[in-house]
Amino acid sequence: MTRRPLHDLHVVECATFVAGPTGGMTLAQLGADVIRIDPLGGASDYHRWPIARSGVSYYWASLNKGKRSVAVDMRSEQGRELVVELITAPGRDRGILIDNVVGRRWMSNQVLTQRRPDLIHLRVQGYADGRPAVDYTVNAEVGLPEITGPETGGAPVNHVLPAWDLVTGMSAATGVLAALHDRERTGQGAYIQLALADVALAGVANLGWLSEAADRGRDRPRHGNHVYGSFGVDFECSDGNRVMVVALTEGQWEALISVTGTRAVFEALESALDADLSREDERYRLRETIAAVLRPWFAARDLKQVSDELDGARVLWGTYRGMTDVVTDHRRGRHPVLADIDVPGAGPAITARSPLRWDGEYGPPGDAPVVGEHTVEVLSEVLGLADAEIGRLVDAGVIEDTRRGRA
């Protein structure tokens, strides 16, 4: 059986969209009992695209798999009290909150720590000063769209993947575990604020990109599909398929020129241009010339030939594929990190297990919940509410009892 290292850890999540839910999902897939709290009927991300033909959100179901879902009328005093009680419930492995709420004074850290001083509270923000932001706005502000896209320039090119959201989610999980370790040693809680904009700035700074811009006094030029500072670019095969080939190291460069039979050509170029192509910076400087020399080799072979020969020579490369191709490979069992789950109201869907392999094994992906599915279960288990008390909350419209078909 796959190890579940966070078994018996209990986390409450009150977060929408990508970053916060990713943090909670990461902990859930490692075994934590993550209770996601939403307003009745779901929060603003409950129907976010992509959606199934039935209208159910694949996005919401996948990011919240493995969690227990509680839905409460947080506009009511009783509902707010239930949420606070769940967040501050006693127990060594409880008292952990991930949120991204704004404007709920009753959920402020100051209020919550009055109920539980050792609370671990991680709040995801847009900016450190509390202003809102999303991945696509902070990515624009750190300069990446200005250096992305064709060399001919033009309008900024946005990315599709919300990378900073995903990194923020992973950082949130790391922050929670660090605070938990500290609480185990000192007995003290922690209030951790994590701003999406800070994550993006830290990312580009840690890669040295801001230092480069400061040193040169200008932005890096766009260079299309070329790998910056080394050699790597796409090539078209005879059957129209495209591959990405990269030579970061001297060994990878040697493998590439050997399999393509171009060693003599490049030795002549080195002599004529006084270049040393064993160096990354030289391969980048002469990237267009190198690509022009290599292009005919790829154009003369179909994808299978290219694949067989590059693999045989241990060249670093990959194939450009559509997501439908990835789905086909998954159906053939080629991606064990992926898994099929049943999404209520949508049917079969593809999601992912945790990419962390414990003792060589992937863990289970977790089931997709329905909003409010576990409300009664959690209130009974965590807060010890009796059926009569739960019934009164249902009658007052504070919660819904899905056991009665009222979800």
Side-chain angles (χ1 to χ4, degrees), residues 241-254:
N241 286 294
R242 300 191 79 86
V243 296
M244 181 70 185
V245 178
V246 180
L248 300 176
T249 68
E250 186 175 351
Q252 291 164 356
W253 172 248
E254 284 292 317

Side-chain angles (χ1 to χ4, degrees), residues 113-197:
T113 52
Q114 288 176 358
R115 300 278 286 267
R116 179 157 183 164
D118 68 345
L119 178 72
I120 293 172
H121 182 183
L122 191 142
R123 173 157 289 175
V124 176
Q125 303 169 299
Y127 292 96
D129 62 9
R131 288 178 296 135
V134 296
D135 188 286
Y136 304 105
T137 60
V138 300
N139 191 66
E141 292 185 348
V142 298
L144 294 186
E146 295 292 343
I147 64 173
T148 303
E151 294 183 46
T152 52
V157 178
N158 290 335
H159 64 176
V160 175
L161 180 72
W164 301 125
D165 272 332
L166 297 175
V167 176
T168 299
M170 297 300 179
S171 298
T174 300
V176 166
L177 295 178
L180 183 65
H181 177 69
D182 186 61
R183 189 171 76 176
E184 287 289 320
R185 293 185 304 163
T186 67
Q188 296 182 349
Y191 180 40
I192 308 163
Q193 294 166 291
L194 178 63
L196 181 67

Side-chain angles (χ1 to χ4, degrees), residues 87-287:
I87 293 170
T88 60
R92 174 183 175 185
D93 295 316
R94 296 187 184 274
I96 303 170
L97 170 66
I98 297 175
D99 78 354
N100 65 353
V101 302
V102 177
R104 292 180 187 168
R105 294 182 180 179
W106 58 275
M107 271 187 66
S108 69
N109 183 257
Q110 183 179 9
V111 170
L112 295 174
T113 52
Q114 288 176 358
R115 300 278 286 267
R116 179 157 183 164
D118 68 345
L119 178 72
I120 293 172
H121 182 183
L122 191 142
R123 173 157 289 175
V124 176
Q125 303 169 299
Y127 292 96
D129 62 9
R131 288 178 296 135
V134 296
D135 188 286
Y136 304 105
T137 60
V138 300
N139 191 66
E141 292 185 348
V142 298
L144 294 186
E146 295 292 343
I147 64 173
T148 303
E151 294 183 46
T152 52
V157 178
N158 290 335
H159 64 176
V160 175
L161 180 72
W164 301 125
D165 272 332
L166 297 175
V167 176
T168 299
M170 297 300 179
S171 298
T174 300
V176 166
L177 295 178
L180 183 65
H181 177 69
D182 186 61
R183 189 171 76 176
E184 287 289 320
R185 293 185 304 163
T186 67
Q188 296 182 349
Y191 180 40
I192 308 163
Q193 294 166 291
L194 178 63
L196 181 67
D198 286 348
V199 171
L201 284 168
V204 294
N206 290 337
L207 290 170
W209 293 358
L210 297 183
S211 296
E212 177 189 55
D215 179 60
R216 298 187 180 182
R218 56 179 173 80
D219 285 348
R220 177 193 305 174
R222 296 181 181 183
H223 49 268
N225 284 341
H226 287 282
V227 173
Y228 184 66
S230 189
F231 179 74
V233 74
D234 58 306
F235 294 98
E236 185 174 6
C237 303
S238 64
D239 55 5
N241 286 294
R242 300 191 79 86
V243 296
M244 181 70 185
V245 178
V246 180
L248 300 176
T249 68
E250 186 175 351
Q252 291 164 356
W253 172 248
E254 284 292 317
L256 179 58
I257 63 176
S258 176
V259 73
T260 56
T262 53
R263 183 182 303 278
V265 176
F266 287 119
E267 286 177 350
L269 276 174
E270 286 179 309
S271 178
L273 301 176
D274 190 24
D276 179 3
L277 295 179
S278 67
R279 293 171 44 183
E280 269 195 285
D281 59 335
E282 288 287 83
R283 294 196 293 275
Y284 177 70
R285 181 173 70 87
L286 296 174
R287 60 191 181 279

